[in-house]
Amino acid sequence: MKRVKPSAFGSGGAKARRSVALSLAMLVAIAGHAMANPDAEEKKAGAPSVVQRLLETPYLTDAERADIRVRHGIWTDQDLTDVARRARAAITRGAWDDPALSDAKADVLDRAEGMILRGQSAEALQLLGANDAKAPSLRALRLTAAAQAAHGEKEAAIKTLAQLEQRVIKDRQNSAWELVEGVRGLHLKSQIEGTSKGAQDFQSMMSMLARAREQLDRLCWTAPLEEAILLAEKDNRPEAAEAIEQALDLNASAAEAYYLLGRMSVDSFNFEQAEKIAGELRELAGPIDRAESEPAGTHEAGEPVAPYADMLESRLRVRQRDPQGAIAALKPTLTRFPGMLEARALEAAAIAASFDMAGADRALAELDKLSPGTHLGYLFVGKALSEQRQYADAARYLEEATTRAPKLADGWIELGLLEVQAARDDRALAALEKAEALDPFNVRAANSLKLVRDVAGFSRIESEHFVVRYRPGVDLALAREMPAILERIYARVTGDKPGGIRYPLDFKTVIELMPDHQWFSVRITGMPKVHTMAAATGPLIAMEAPRLGEKNTVGAYDWARVVQHEFTHTVTLARTSNRLPHWFTEASAVYLEDAPRDWNYITILARAYETDTLFDLEEINIAFTRPKKPSDRSQAYGQGAWMYEYIVTKYGPEAPLKLMDRYAAGDREPQAFQTVLGVTREQFFEEFKAWAGEQLIEWGMRPKAGQPELMTLLDEWRKTLGAGHEEDPPTIEAVDGWLKDYPDHADLLELAVKLRVTANKNKASPEMVPLIEAFAAARPGDPTPHKLLAALFLDESSPAHDAAKAITHLEFLDAREQNSASLSVQLARLYAAEGEWDKAWAKALRACTVAPYEAANREFAATVAIKRGDFDGAKWQLETLKILEPDRPIHAQRLKALEDLKAKKH
């Protein structure tokens, strides 16, 4: 059994936990884009504890020292033999079922708070009402209002909080802890009734917290914690993380701080960190040994529950598209505490995320019985559905949340962000302006509102199936070229060729060409940083402009291939209402890129097959959202597309489409596989693995029948050398001897080429050509032999120099290149040298697609167009140059010269 060890200044768990807390807070701050000073942090972490210095004060009694240790989360077992202290510790560590909180010896307010946290608001009101204090403390008023609000007594809560507000205004508080309680009460008031003075109220509360922390008691950890809560509500993650760090520095056992940190981690997609924090919360809420001489009461049957951990895990699982896991995570807490409003609201959200709308409505009805008129459940359900791209249903629930709480900003913010992603900018503007009026400090809302207002000034180009929006200026250079390419993508993805989704859309897809990464990220998440360059939200695909720049993160990229992937998501979402297993969603999109299989995928898949670590149909979904090792997500993408290809190959091109329709109808994957493929998922996986093994042989990644493993040949050869040669590298002569017996053995050919190239200063030589070509044939997906041969044939100093022979190998490499136009340009020049102007033109255009903002590519393309007699094509490129470089008069001069040339030709 684990227990919380003594003191942050001893050698116990709390000290280790404080170190973890600091590092986790820093990670969130970095994820939220705050810049930290590592040297300062190191000094802070190693500085003497101010709490320790306080405890060393000689005039303190033992009881006072025990109270201080409990207050700062560094209690000892002996401290907790006192029921009152144990109850206070239970509140701090999130152990709300600790029997001390039901013991009459505990402080009445601690017992009442425990009841409220457990969802027992009626019992809390009864206990607080029996308290005969003539002048209730601010904490007592705050708890009374919280219980009243949770019980659906909104007007009574507002009245109680009005009394608290008067006390905060009139009575100058000299206790930091009580002043924080006053602020928490004011915060609760704003959450219950909203406010027309959002900015003023927020600043007022932050000022009071600063006074509590800086003037009244620098050891008051609840002050920075409440600051963090307020800042997190504003989506100000960097400053919230800093405040959490300050709170945990003063109390490393503050479960509420960890829970907030965990929620921020989930919102930042830092799933690994959220998992760690959930584990920390479970440890904090776990059992604590106590002296048997002074028991704190009889514990309920069963292990202690960790509500913060369960709720955090539920949030995490919903974000990872694992709604069943989210529901299961909440079961321990809701079994023990069925009246917990937040847990009930999270349960409704998880049920909705599993597309069980009737079940979600039943859960919301039960929540209404607990707290009549609450908007919380509708808010959580709407947000979960929005993340699942269920925009129509999400809007319905979020609109109900705003109806129930029209003066609260949170519902308007989520509704506005939903409409941003759904590309309904008029609706987004209305909701976000409402949110701004109520909460002008919310970062995501402010970012998104600015974006919507700015995008309203974007220019647009429409085609039959797309609307391209772009910022006026240089982005016109790419935007005006996009419709023709997009329409080809539309025909492929929605069409009936193998792999096509066969589902015409009844709406135009919006393509937003964002000028830089920050613009793109805000469109997708409301925050200024996302780790990708394009994303589909359904009817909208946002993409970062493929160019280099201070605010651009990826530079040139094959945007057409990327958009074809993302548009596949748009179409499959429309056909299935996004009710697809995660792996299947990505598999169809990778398959429909119509690109050669990535060599990185091939090597990862071959390794996974040989080590028996291919993902089954449960594991592959987890690998996308909860990867255990760095290669898991890449393997999931590659293996998913491989399994999709297997379905098309074995069951026909209709099979994936029939599966989509079963998913759209509400079938789970096991049922859909049985109905469409006639096999269980387990049977499918075993049959896929057998097929995959044969594929790997064709790819040259496994020996053919009758061919030994390379390591077997090496081991046998080393044995012939005798002792002391167990690690000897193979010689060229030995490998050549093996090749006589196995001339198409891919591993032997690779080794033979590698040994020769290494011996020749890492270059191929003319006599190696047949061997390298045999290697390329034996392992058709490996770029290495093509790189060697291309370099050799292009080397003017080599006797093998023959630029025309390099073309085949450069084509192989260019078909797989996604982030550079250099190979396309090189191929265009080679084709031009051969007088093959049509091929040169095709490659010049590809260069302009991958790197559309590179003026040199445009100039070369114009030259090729003129050479092939395509004056319209040349004119297009020169006009594009005028857009890219408006301050260079030479482009206008060239256009005039082109017109003159065209006139002479005609």
Side-chain angles (χ1 to χ4, degrees):
M1 298 266 295
K2 294 181 180 178
R3 70 182 181 88
V4 177
K5 303 286 186 180
S7 92
F9 53 90
S11 58
K15 182 176 183 180
R17 186 159 53 249
R18 174 179 175 270
S19 176
V20 171
L22 291 174
S23 64
L24 290 176
M26 288 305 301
L27 283 170
V28 169
I30 292 170
H33 326 301
M35 297 302 293
N37 182 337
D39 295 332
E41 289 307 316
E42 186 176 349
K43 290 176 183 177
K44 180 186 287 187
S49 167
V50 288
V51 178
Q52 179 183 352
R53 290 199 297 270
L54 175 62
L55 288 167
E56 291 170 352
T57 305
Y59 57 76
L60 291 176
T61 65
D62 289 343
E64 288 171 334
R65 288 191 176 90
D67 287 340
I68 292 170
R69 285 193 293 266
V70 169
R71 172 167 280 182
H72 291 281
I74 52 176
W75 49 75
T76 65
D77 289 345
Q78 183 60 37
D79 293 337
L80 301 187
T81 58
D82 178 86
V83 171
R85 293 193 190 106
R86 183 182 178 93
R88 289 199 297 275
I91 296 292
T92 298
R93 64 190 185 90
W96 304 334
D97 59 347
D98 191 300
L101 287 170
S102 302
D103 196 308
K105 297 177 184 176
D107 184 277
V108 168
L109 297 185
D110 289 334
R111 289 162 57 199
E113 184 148 10
M115 291 174 180
I116 294 168
L117 291 168
R118 292 193 296 265
Q120 299 168 326
S121 54
E123 292 89 336
L125 286 172
Q126 185 177 359
L127 179 64
L128 290 164
N131 186 12
D132 59 0
K134 293 182 180 179
S137 65
L138 295 180
R139 184 187 181 197
L141 291 170
R142 192 262 300 177
L143 290 173
T144 299
Q148 290 167 332
H151 204 239
E153 300 175 14
K154 181 177 176 180
E155 294 304 321
I158 291 173
K159 185 177 179 181
T160 301
L161 290 169
Q163 184 182 351
L164 176 144
E165 185 175 26
Q166 285 298 108
R167 290 267 302 277
V168 171
I169 294 171
K170 288 184 176 180
D171 302 337
R172 184 172 178 80
Q173 301 298 321
N174 294 316
S175 164
W177 306 87
E178 189 70 353
L179 180 55
V180 172
E181 287 292 342
V183 174
R184 294 185 71 181
L186 295 175
H187 184 197
L188 178 62
K189 183 173 181 288
S190 70
Q191 290 175 314
I192 294 173
E193 66 173 356
T195 176
S196 59
K197 301 181 294 181
Q200 182 179 336
D201 289 348
F202 173 72
Q203 291 172 327
S204 176
M205 287 188 285
M206 292 296 286
S207 295
M208 284 187 272
L209 291 171
R211 176 173 176 261
R213 174 169 46 81
E214 296 172 5
Q215 299 178 23
L216 297 180
D217 188 346
R218 292 184 178 273
L219 300 186
C220 178
W221 59 268
T222 59
L225 175 56
E226 183 62 21
E227 285 178 324
I229 293 169
L230 290 169
L231 290 164
E233 275 190 6
K234 311 301 179 190
D235 286 307
N236 187 340
R237 294 174 192 162
E239 291 188 33
E242 183 181 349
I244 292 173
E245 181 184 345
Q246 293 171 3
L248 289 171
D249 193 38
L250 294 168
N251 186 339
S253 299
E256 188 175 4
Y258 279 101
Y259 181 50
L260 178 57
L261 189 62
R263 285 161 45 198
M264 291 165 56
S265 301
V266 171
D267 289 342
S268 301
F269 293 90
N270 194 337
F271 297 151
E272 181 180 359
Q273 181 169 301
E275 296 271 15
K276 290 178 181 178
I277 295 171
E280 185 65 40
L281 287 165
R282 293 195 193 286
E283 182 180 348
L284 274 169
I288 295 181
D289 296 340
R290 62 174 180 271
E292 294 190 14
S293 59
E294 208 171 323
T298 304
H299 200 286
E300 295 176 24
E303 286 293 312
V305 296
Y308 279 138
D310 291 347
M311 291 191 294
L312 178 58
E313 184 178 347
S314 181
R315 290 173 180 270
L316 175 61
R317 299 294 173 244
V318 166
R319 204 78 195 258
Q320 293 173 325
R321 298 180 65 175
D322 178 16
Q324 299 306 316
I327 294 168
L330 291 168
K331 187 174 181 180
T333 288
L334 288 176
T335 299
R336 192 74 62 85
F337 309 135
M340 276 187 63
L341 299 185
E342 183 179 357
R344 282 291 179 207
L346 289 171
E347 180 188 41
I351 294 170
S354 67
F355 308 119
D356 180 3
M357 295 300 105
D361 288 340
R362 287 192 296 271
L364 290 171
E366 290 299 315
L367 187 59
D368 254 350
K369 291 178 183 178
L370 294 171
S371 183
T374 179
H375 84 302
L376 193 65
Y378 289 90
L379 177 69
F380 285 12
V381 166
K383 185 176 180 181
L385 288 172
S386 177
E387 290 174 1
Q388 297 282 347
R389 309 295 192 230
Q390 306 297 304
Y391 296 128
D393 283 334
R396 180 163 54 87
Y397 285 100
L398 289 173
E399 285 165 0
E400 176 63 19
T402 61
T403 298
R404 288 173 171 236
K407 294 182 179 180
L408 298 186
D410 49 9
W412 294 108
I413 290 170
E414 293 301 333
L415 182 60
L417 295 173
L418 175 156
E419 300 294 2
V420 167
Q421 295 209 350
R424 298 189 291 246
D425 287 355
D426 290 345
R427 296 183 187 182
L429 182 64
L432 290 170
E433 285 182 340
K434 186 76 172 179
E436 182 187 43
L438 295 169
D439 184 2
F441 284 94
N442 188 277
V443 175
R444 288 177 73 210
N447 286 340
S448 296
L449 181 56
K450 182 180 186 304
L451 178 138
V452 170
R453 287 169 172 164
D454 289 346
V455 165
F458 274 25
S459 298
R460 56 195 285 140
I461 300 172
E462 290 199 40
S463 64
E464 184 179 358
H465 299 105
F466 294 92
V467 176
V468 178
R469 300 200 295 208
Y470 64 96
R471 187 169 68 177
V474 295
D475 287 339
L476 172 61
L478 173 56
R480 72 195 197 116
E481 294 180 339
M482 295 179 77
I485 297 173
L486 292 171
E487 290 298 334
R488 290 200 296 270
I489 290 172
Y490 181 91
R492 171 68 180 107
V493 174
T494 66
D496 59 3
K497 290 183 179 179
I501 308 303
R502 304 185 191 179
Y503 192 81
L505 300 181
D506 59 3
F507 58 86
K508 289 189 177 185
T509 303
V510 176
I511 309 291
E512 282 190 347
L513 178 59
M514 292 304 188
D516 56 44
H517 187 76
Q518 184 170 330
W519 278 71
F520 159 70
S521 298
V522 170
R523 168 58 90 177
I524 298 302
T525 68
M527 298 300 280
K529 191 170 184 180
V530 175
H531 300 292
T532 186
M533 79 286 286
T537 65
L540 172 123
I541 298 172
M543 58 175 280
E544 180 180 341
R547 63 167 171 244
L548 293 172
E550 183 180 346
K551 295 182 178 180
N552 296 79
T553 60
V554 291
Y557 66 91
D558 189 348
W559 70 264
R561 177 175 173 178
V562 170
V563 168
Q564 186 156 324
H565 177 110
E566 297 302 332
F567 183 63
T568 302
H569 288 319
T570 294
V571 178
T572 56
L573 186 153
R575 179 165 181 153
T576 67
S577 297
N578 202 30
R579 298 183 179 187
L580 286 171
H582 196 156
W583 79 266
F584 198 92
T585 302
E586 295 299 342
S588 60
V590 174
Y591 184 85
L592 265 170
E593 288 177 21
D594 292 333
R597 198 181 314 272
D598 186 85
W599 174 242
N600 182 52
Y601 285 167
I602 292 174
T603 57
I604 290 173
L605 293 172
R607 189 181 311 117
Y609 181 91
E610 294 302 328
T611 56
D612 196 26
T613 54
L614 286 172
F615 300 128
D616 65 27
L617 292 168
E618 288 289 344
E619 294 167 336
I620 192 168
N621 288 315
I622 295 171
F624 278 107
T625 55
R626 282 179 278 162
K628 296 178 181 177
K629 55 183 186 295
S631 62
D632 277 4
R633 292 191 85 245
S634 291
Q635 180 181 328
Y637 274 103
Q639 185 185 326
W642 206 14
M643 292 195 296
Y644 195 93
E645 179 184 348
Y646 170 65
I647 293 172
V648 172
T649 301
K650 179 169 183 178
Y651 300 97
E654 294 281 347
L657 307 181
K658 291 178 179 177
L659 284 171
M660 290 182 196
D661 291 340
R662 295 317 310 155
Y663 296 136
D667 286 4
R668 294 289 178 186
E669 190 171 68
Q671 182 182 352
F673 266 49
Q674 195 76 61
T675 301
V676 175
L677 307 182
V679 294
T680 65
R681 293 195 305 171
E682 293 73 21
Q683 287 173 306
F684 170 87
F685 184 55
E686 292 304 317
E687 292 171 8
F688 162 72
K689 286 194 294 184
W691 176 82
E694 294 301 316
Q695 283 260 293
L696 289 169
I697 292 172
E698 291 179 20
W699 298 350
M701 303 304 290
R702 293 182 67 213
K704 297 178 180 178
Q707 291 182 344
E709 295 280 353
L710 176 59
M711 287 308 301
T712 300
L713 293 171
L714 286 172
D715 290 342
E716 291 175 352
W717 174 72
R718 285 164 177 159
K719 287 178 183 177
T720 67
L721 300 178
H725 295 277
E726 291 80 6
E727 301 296 329
D728 279 15
T731 63
I732 291 177
E733 294 74 20
V735 176
D736 287 349
W738 297 330
L739 277 173
K740 290 178 181 178
D741 296 327
Y742 312 105
D744 59 349
H745 194 302
D747 287 339
L748 288 177
L749 288 165
E750 178 186 30
L751 184 56
V753 169
K754 182 178 181 181
L755 290 172
R756 283 173 166 81
V757 169
T758 301
N760 193 44
K761 299 181 179 179
N762 295 317
K763 294 194 302 182
S765 60
E767 61 272 16
M768 297 181 200
V769 170
L771 186 67
I772 298 173
E773 288 176 339
F775 174 31
R779 187 168 290 160
D782 193 335
T784 303
H786 299 281
K787 291 178 180 179
L788 290 169
L789 290 172
L792 175 65
F793 294 139
L794 291 170
D795 185 357
E796 295 182 358
S797 66
S798 170
H801 172 64
D802 187 342
K805 287 185 177 180
I807 287 176
T808 298
H809 306 289
L810 292 173
E811 286 281 14
F812 176 97
L813 297 170
D814 189 41
R816 291 156 177 78
E817 178 57 60
Q818 297 185 60
N819 296 100
S820 172
S822 60
L823 289 170
S824 296
V825 171
Q826 191 172 19
L827 279 163
R829 294 187 183 282
L830 290 174
Y831 283 128
E834 295 291 316
E836 296 190 54
W837 294 109
D838 288 348
K839 291 183 178 179
W841 176 240
K843 284 298 169 181
L845 288 182
R846 171 165 162 75
C848 292
T849 298
V850 174
Y853 296 90
E854 291 292 329
N857 294 344
R858 300 291 182 172
E859 289 180 358
F860 179 69
T863 300
V864 172
I866 292 171
K867 289 287 188 180
R868 65 192 292 266
D870 181 359
F871 296 111
D872 289 339
K875 180 181 179 182
W876 181 277
Q877 297 301 330
L878 292 175
E879 287 174 342
T880 303
L881 281 165
K882 282 186 66 178
I883 297 168
L884 292 173
E885 299 176 333
D887 56 342
R888 294 192 65 195
I890 191 172
H891 300 315
Q893 296 167 13
R894 286 171 172 169
L895 274 168
K896 176 66 169 60
L898 179 67
E899 291 299 322
D900 293 343
L901 179 62
K902 183 177 178 181
K904 288 180 182 179
K905 289 288 184 180
H906 291 83

